[in-house]
């Protein structure tokens, strides 16, 4: 097994012929230290065993000639029990140790000779030291306990990234240290979850549909990095948000939750006039469950998470109301023309219109303790969301069917193998495959976009939304990472590779049903009548392929890309 892992690691490293500034993300913790006797002399060959108590997962190594030990790729969290033993010395036991994501806990250990009969020494310890030589720059670690204790309305990542003093969440995404949010990197269990194509304002998959990429209750811990000097962490010039999901333990544990609010939670008093306002019906609900436990005690574990979220908020500025400069009489004149020239087409409502967002999130994860030396993790996440959006202002009206229907589907699978090879080597291998489907569509039947200038600098728009008539993005991302660690005395040597391979299909052809603009409502009303006034402008979009079908699918861009990286 050792030879196989060594050969596999070397093969992956040598396969990287091109190099670029692309790095993997950390999904584990680490423990290191030095074992000495009462005279401060090194104890080579001392046994160090760390047990993750909730799952019984064990890690064990022997100290080297300098009394030093390193255990990499350990499960995040705890509590851990760490036992240090050596023949002729009293064993030392540390209880209640917790390891944080991406950090190394350093231990200085002194064993006493067993000249007389003594019980083992038991020490209780909490989190590793915040200030130590292994911290690699400005970072913040947020545990699940912190996530549960911080007030949040949206239950989104931005409610927690703002804890970083360098974060700015005033826009649609999070900016770190003044950098555009598209320069951030967001990974889940080591797999990049960014919007690789770069269209979303949030910077994450599913962002165009306005949904979160993962349920907060599925996260064990996440780390926010700003300019780290850890060679393993990179691929961003803004901030790195690195999340790991929960895993099963020897105990069956689960949660069930529900959050919600509606118009009854909105204040109804208008302070200027001291009048009671009528609040339109609205809702924001989310709920889910998590469950984790053993399949085989101390050996095989599972964790599953499921969440559903539904929101619906009404648009303001209803025509004919005090907040709109558009009258219902003007709207009735528009509808009369549609009924005359296109009686089969329904432009949709212009009164009560709601923007709606829904999402379903599933996560399944398996942890397998193959042996004390080898640990395997397999996980798959599925996120599906739908967004129906429209907009309206005091001076502009869009009929309901001029809105946008945006479904988004993300599937992400990851396989991770963590191995201890002898007493001075370890390896982490990760394979990932992610697919993203963003299929933006117009609402209602296919129809040209019609823009009409009304009185008093107002306007109305009906028909299919012109940028949504042929709009489809498919992404496939395959990644392979390998990190090989060599521990020599006081030194740790890391050799790694991170590679991503992309396949894109992007269809974006505007105005395939045409767009018409009318200078006045009176001009619009002449359609199909003697003395018809031509539109002020007309536009149509199409691909250069004469054989293209009505959906203009031949107008799509298809291309592949890759990033290959090597680091030490």
């Amino acid at each position: 097994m050792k030879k196989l892992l060594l050969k596999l690691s070397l093969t992956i490293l040598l396969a990287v012929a091109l190099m670029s500034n692309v790095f993997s993300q950390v999904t584990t913790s680490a423990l290191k230290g030095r074992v000495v006797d009462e005279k401060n002399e090194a104890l080579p060959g001392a046994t160090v065993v760390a047990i993750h108590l909730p799952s019984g997962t064990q890690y064990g190594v022997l100290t080297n000639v300098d009394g030093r030990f390193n255990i990499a790729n350990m499960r995040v969290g705890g509590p851990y029990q760490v036992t240090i033993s050596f023949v002729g010395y009293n064993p030392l036991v540390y209880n209640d140790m917790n390891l944080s994501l991406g950090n190394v806990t350093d231990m200085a250990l002194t064993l006493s000779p067993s000249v007389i009969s003594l019980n083992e020494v038991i020490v209780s310890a909490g989190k590793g030291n915040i200030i130590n030589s292994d911290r690699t720059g400005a970072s913040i670690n947020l545990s699940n306990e912190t996530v549960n204790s911080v007030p949040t309305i949206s239950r989104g990542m931005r409610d927690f990234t703002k804890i970083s003093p360098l974060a700015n969440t005033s826009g649609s995404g999070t900016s770190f240290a003044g950098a555009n949010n598209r320069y951030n990197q967001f990974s889940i269990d080591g797999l990049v979850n960014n919007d690789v194509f770069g269209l979303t304002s949030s910077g994450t998959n599913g962002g165009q549909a306005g949904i979160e990429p993962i349920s907060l209750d599925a996260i064990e811990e996440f780390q926010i990095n700003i300019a780290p000097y850890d060679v393993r962490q990179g691929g961003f010039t803004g901030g790195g948000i690195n999340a790991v999901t929960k895993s099963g333990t020897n105990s069956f544990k689960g949660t069930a939750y529900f959050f919600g609010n509606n118009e009854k939670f909105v204040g109804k008093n208008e302070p200027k006039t001291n009048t009671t306002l009528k609040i339109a019906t609205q809702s924001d609900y989310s709920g889910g469950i998590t469950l984790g436990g053993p399949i085989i005690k101390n050996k095989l574990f599972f964790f599953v998470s499921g969440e559903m979220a539904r929101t619906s908020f009404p648009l303001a500025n209803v025509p004919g109301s005090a907040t709109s400069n558009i009258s219902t009489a003007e709207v009735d004149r528009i509808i009369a023309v549609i009924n005359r020239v296109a009686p089969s087409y329904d432009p949709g409502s212009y009164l009560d219109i709601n923007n709606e967002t829904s999402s379903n999130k599933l996560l399944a994860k398996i942890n397998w303790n193959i042996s004390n030396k080898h640990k395997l993790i397999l996980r798959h996440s599925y996120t599906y969301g739908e967004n129906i959006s429209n907009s309206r202002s005091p001076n502009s009206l869009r009929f309901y069917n001029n809105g946008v229907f945006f479904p988004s589907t993300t599937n992400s699978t990851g396989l991770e193998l963590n191995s201890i090879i002898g007493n001075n080597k370890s390896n982490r291998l990760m394979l990932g495959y992610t697919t993203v489907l963003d299929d933006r569509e117009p609402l209602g039947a296919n129809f040209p976009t019609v823009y009409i200038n009304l009185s008093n600098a107002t306007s109305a728009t009906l028909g299919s939304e012109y940028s949504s008539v042929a709009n489809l993005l498919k992404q496939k991302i395959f990644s392979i990472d390998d990190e090989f660690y060599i521990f020599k005395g006081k030194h740790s040597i890391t050799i790694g590779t991170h590679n991503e391979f992309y396949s894109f299909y992007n269809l974006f052809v505007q105005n395939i049903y045409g767009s018409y603009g009318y200078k006045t409502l009176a001009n619009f009303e002449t359609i199909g009548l003697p003395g018809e006034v031509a539109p002020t402008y007309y536009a149509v979009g199409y691909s250069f392929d004469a054989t293209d079908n009505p959906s203009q699918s031949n107008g799509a861009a298809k291309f592949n890309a890759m990033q290959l990286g090597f680091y030490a």
Side-chain angles (χ1 to χ4, degrees):
M1 185 69 175
K2 295 179 183 178
K3 291 183 179 179
L4 177 61
L5 287 170
L6 280 170
K7 289 181 179 179
L8 180 59
S9 301
L10 291 173
T11 301
I12 293 170
L13 293 174
L14 292 174
V16 183
L18 300 175
M19 291 179 273
S20 62
N21 187 28
V22 184
F23 304 111
S24 63
Q25 293 302 315
V26 179
T27 61
T28 57
S29 302
L31 188 66
K32 77 172 189 176
R34 186 167 185 253
V35 182
V36 299
D37 61 15
E38 78 284 2
K39 298 179 182 179
N40 203 35
E41 294 181 355
L43 291 177
T47 301
V48 181
V49 177
I51 302 175
H52 182 260
L53 295 177
S55 65
T57 304
Q58 294 190 26
Y59 307 86
V61 295
L62 299 177
T63 58
N64 62 17
V65 292
D66 297 319
R68 299 182 185 276
F69 69 90
N70 287 271
I71 307 177
N73 302 324
M74 300 176 69
R75 281 183 62 155
V76 172
Y80 274 89
Q81 181 185 77
V82 182
T83 303
I84 303 91
S85 59
F86 191 71
V87 176
Y89 289 80
N90 295 307
L92 188 62
V93 179
Y94 279 75
N95 285 325
D96 300 324
M97 289 195 65
N98 285 273
L99 306 182
S100 58
L101 174 63
N103 290 325
V104 179
T105 299
D106 196 353
M107 305 178 71
L109 307 164
T110 302
L111 298 184
S112 59
S114 55
V115 178
I116 58 176
S117 177
L118 293 174
N119 293 326
E120 63 184 15
V121 179
I122 299 178
V123 182
S124 294
K127 292 276 187 181
N129 293 331
I130 297 299
I131 300 177
N132 63 67
S133 61
D134 292 285
R135 287 186 64 84
T136 58
S139 67
I140 293 177
N141 283 65
L142 301 175
S143 65
N144 185 256
E145 290 78 9
T146 302
V147 171
N148 289 332
S149 64
V150 173
T152 171
I153 295 177
S154 67
R155 285 186 57 77
M157 295 294 294
R158 286 201 303 158
D159 283 346
F160 302 94
T161 55
K162 66 184 179 185
I163 293 175
S164 170
L166 295 176
N168 183 346
T169 59
S170 58
S172 55
T174 301
S175 169
F176 291 98
N180 187 287
N181 69 320
R182 286 181 173 84
Y183 290 104
N184 299 337
Q185 185 180 67
F186 178 50
S187 65
I188 302 175
D189 290 331
L191 300 181
V192 175
N193 220 266
N194 289 44
D195 167 36
V196 176
F197 201 78
L199 294 179
T200 70
S201 57
S202 66
T204 58
N205 290 330
Q208 291 193 84
I211 63 173
E212 292 292 325
I214 191 170
S215 166
L216 283 179
D217 268 54
I219 295 177
E220 175 72 25
E221 183 174 340
F222 65 91
Q223 182 185 50
I224 302 171
N225 287 294
I226 309 292
Y229 49 90
D230 184 339
V231 72
R232 300 170 300 168
Q233 302 196 53
F236 56 90
T237 54
I241 305 170
N242 188 18
V244 291
T245 56
K246 295 178 180 178
S247 299
T249 66
N250 280 327
S251 302
F252 285 98
K253 295 181 180 179
T255 61
Y257 56 92
F258 177 80
F259 301 90
N261 66 76
N262 54 32
E263 70 280 357
K264 296 180 181 179
F265 288 84
V266 180
K268 297 182 180 181
N269 187 60
E270 211 292 317
K272 292 183 179 180
T273 60
N274 198 28
T275 57
T276 300
L277 301 176
K278 181 181 179 181
I279 306 300
T281 301
Q282 56 188 265
S283 61
D284 184 357
Y285 301 118
S286 64
I289 59 172
T290 68
L291 179 64
I295 300 174
I296 302 174
K297 189 175 181 180
N298 295 336
K299 194 76 173 177
L300 193 62
F301 311 92
F302 78 94
F303 175 80
V304 293
S305 168
E307 180 179 275
M308 297 176 64
R310 303 288 186 269
T311 64
S312 178
F313 288 94
L315 294 181
N317 308 306
V318 177
S321 70
T323 60
S324 176
N325 296 322
I326 300 173
S327 68
T328 55
E330 290 175 304
V331 179
D332 290 341
R333 289 168 62 185
I334 295 172
I335 294 175
V337 176
I338 295 298
N339 290 337
R340 175 169 58 81
V341 300
S344 62
Y345 178 71
D346 178 11
S349 174
Y350 66 91
L351 296 173
D352 295 329
I353 297 176
N354 281 30
N355 283 342
E356 302 177 8
T357 303
S358 63
S359 66
N360 301 322
K361 306 180 185 74
L362 296 173
L363 171 74
K365 187 176 182 180
I366 295 290
N367 290 68
W368 180 19
N369 295 334
I370 303 172
S371 67
N372 289 349
K373 301 290 186 180
H374 307 292
K375 312 291 187 293
L376 185 71
I377 302 171
L378 176 63
R379 49 87 75 184
H380 180 81
S381 62
Y382 164 82
T383 302
Y384 176 76
E386 291 183 355
N387 177 247
I388 297 175
S389 63
N390 209 313
S391 62
R392 189 163 56 191
S393 75
N395 293 323
S396 65
L397 161 68
R398 293 173 63 190
F399 284 82
Y400 178 80
N401 284 344
N402 190 244
V404 178
F405 173 64
F406 205 123
S408 177
T409 306
T410 301
N411 281 281
S412 181
T413 302
L415 179 69
E416 181 176 349
L417 176 64
N418 294 307
S419 301
I420 297 174
I421 305 170
N423 288 314
N424 64 347
K425 299 180 185 70
S426 68
N427 192 79
R428 171 181 171 269
L429 172 66
M430 170 168 280
L431 304 176
Y433 182 66
T434 300
T435 62
V436 184
L437 175 62
D438 291 330
D439 187 9
R440 175 171 166 174
E441 300 176 1
L443 295 169
N446 298 332
F447 199 79
T449 304
V450 181
Y451 178 88
I452 308 163
N453 280 318
L454 305 177
S455 60
N456 301 319
T458 58
S459 64
T461 309
L462 59 93
S464 300
E465 202 280 322
Y466 72 99
S467 289
S468 304
V469 289
N471 193 322
L472 176 65
L473 175 62
K474 299 178 182 179
Q475 304 179 62
K476 297 178 182 179
I477 304 103
F478 174 72
S479 63
I480 180 167
D481 299 76
D482 194 78
E483 293 174 354
F484 189 65
Y485 303 92
I486 304 171
F487 307 110
K488 287 285 187 180
K490 299 180 180 180
H491 307 290
S492 298
I493 302 170
T494 302
I495 304 171
T497 180
H498 173 79
N499 311 281
E500 296 177 14
F501 304 89
Y502 314 108
S503 175
F504 298 109
Y505 174 96
N506 183 37
L507 173 64
F508 182 55
V509 182
Q510 296 176 305
N511 287 321
I512 64 173
Y513 303 122
S515 292
Y516 297 83
Y518 288 88
K519 189 174 183 178
T520 66
L521 177 55
N523 289 354
F524 176 71
E525 289 178 307
T526 66
I527 296 177
L529 299 177
E532 178 179 349
V533 178
T536 305
Y537 71 84
Y538 167 70
V540 64
Y542 52 87
S543 73
F544 288 128
D545 188 342
T547 66
D548 209 349
N549 57 39
S551 68
Q552 300 293 291
S553 59
N554 289 351
K558 304 175 187 177
F559 61 97
N560 299 316
M562 65 181 176
Q563 297 187 81
L564 306 178
F566 175 84
Y567 54 92

